[in-house]
């Protein structure tokens, strides 16, 4: 399995080029536990010699923000030959504080 990741740390609109995309080696660990809606679910995956399991708390770097996000791996699955991770995100204190200061729906009014 190969996973594409973009290592560009700029906030500009990105284009995937050979210079900005890194291929990571991955392999599923354990047997497929379930097949549902064209997805094969697995208990763990090894990506470049690092083991990730359902239930692990992980730091995830999104390539735009400097600080990584903390998440909990909820599911690991393969769909059409690609690897995916479903996760829950943990809020940072400063984001909760910022969110509480905003009026409800202010962010969506601009889109209406």
């Amino acid at each position: 399995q190969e996973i594409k990741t973009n290592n560009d740390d700029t906030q500009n609109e990105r284009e995937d080029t050979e210079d900005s995309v890194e291929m990571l080696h991955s392999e599923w660990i354990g047997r497929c536990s379930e097949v549902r809606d064209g997805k094969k679910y697995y208990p763990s995956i090894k990506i470049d010699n690092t083991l990730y399991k359902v239930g692990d708390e992980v730091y995830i770097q999104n390539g735009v923000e400097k600080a990584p996000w903390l998440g909990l791996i909820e599911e690991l699955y393969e769909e059409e030959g690609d690897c995916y991770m479903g996760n829950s995100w943990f809020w940072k204190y400063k984001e909760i504080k910022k969110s509480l200061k905003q009026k409800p729906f202010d962010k969506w009014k601009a889109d209406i």
Side-chain angles (χ1 to χ4, degrees), residues 5-17 19-22 60-68:
T5 181
N6 194 320
N7 289 326
D8 185 2
D9 285 337
T10 64
Q11 292 186 13
N12 300 332
E13 193 172 312
R14 291 188 216 126
E15 293 180 23
D16 286 341
T17 64
D19 293 336
S20 66
V21 176
E22 175 186 352
I60 303 167
Q61 188 70 45
N62 69 7
V64 175
E65 297 180 25
K66 297 263 187 226

Side-chain angles (χ1 to χ4, degrees), residues 68-87:
W69 281 77
L70 180 60
L72 176 74
I73 299 175
E74 298 282 351
E75 59 187 3
L76 295 166
Y77 62 92
E78 180 180 323
E79 184 176 36
E80 296 180 9
D82 292 325
C83 303
Y84 294 93
M85 174 185 73
N87 58 293

Side-chain angles (χ1 to χ4, degrees), residues 1-3 5 22-27 45-52:
Q1 295 278 341
E2 299 291 330
I3 298 174
T5 181
E22 175 186 352
M23 298 302 279
L24 302 175
H25 175 73
S26 66
E27 67 179 285
I45 189 169
K46 192 176 200 179
I47 302 174
D48 282 348
N49 294 319
T50 301
L51 181 65
Y52 299 96

